[in-house]
Amino acid sequence: MSEIIIGEARRHVLGLGCEHGASVGEVMALAVEALDAAGISGAGLAAVASIDSRRAERAILAVAAHFAVPSLFFDAARLEAETPRLKNPSEIVFARVGCHGVAESAALAALGADAELTLGKIKSRHATAAVACIGLQKA
């Protein structure tokens, strides 16, 4: 897993889920829509995160490359641990991949226990996106 650097400017993670083979254009458009809805620019991203079964998914890797941030991937058990914090848990997703959400869970998992969802899951035909943020403590 890549290390992410959180700072005043970069404290958001974009969680993405998608079907195998989802188009780069569709996932990129959804990513941009999610960032717009969350009120942040790509400069505010620290990472893109997803489930480990999408580690080689071209569309997710393309979004991370576009925003010049690392991509992080978590196994289903780690994502399932985030279920109590999800805005949109899904039994359908659980039946398919073993966790109640990918986009929301991955965004939260990337930032840890102090993270909050700033944008719950939004969907396109073949993908989902969510945004989490971590506050910075003032000294």
Side-chain angles (χ1 to χ4, degrees):
M1 176 167 54
S2 299
E3 183 177 328
I4 63 172
I5 298 172
I6 303 299
E8 189 63 41
R10 292 185 179 266
R11 55 194 187 102
H12 295 84
V13 169
L14 174 66
L16 292 173
C18 68
E19 295 178 13
H20 281 298
S23 77
V24 171
E26 178 184 349
V27 177
M28 186 68 70
L30 185 64
V32 169
E33 179 183 342
L35 295 180
D36 286 347
I40 63 167
S41 71
L45 277 185
V48 170
S50 191
I51 192 167
D52 62 356
S53 64
R54 298 300 184 264
R55 184 178 303 277
E57 198 64 45
R58 194 170 60 100
I60 291 173
L61 298 174
V63 170
H66 175 79
F67 292 111
V69 296
S71 51
L72 307 174
F73 300 92
F74 300 92
D75 65 26
R78 174 64 187 93
L79 297 183
E80 180 61 11
E82 297 297 338
T83 299
R85 300 198 301 155
L86 302 184
K87 291 183 179 180
N88 301 288
S90 169
E91 291 297 328
I92 293 169
V93 173
F94 181 78
R96 289 183 183 165
V97 298
C99 59
H100 281 87
V102 172
E104 291 181 349
S105 295
L108 291 167
L111 291 171
D114 293 330
E116 296 179 0
L117 286 171
T118 55
L119 178 71
K121 176 176 69 177
I122 62 170
K123 300 189 253 185
S124 64
R125 184 171 172 100
H126 302 287
T128 59
V131 178
C133 178
I134 191 158
L136 297 177
Q137 294 181 347
K138 302 288 182 190

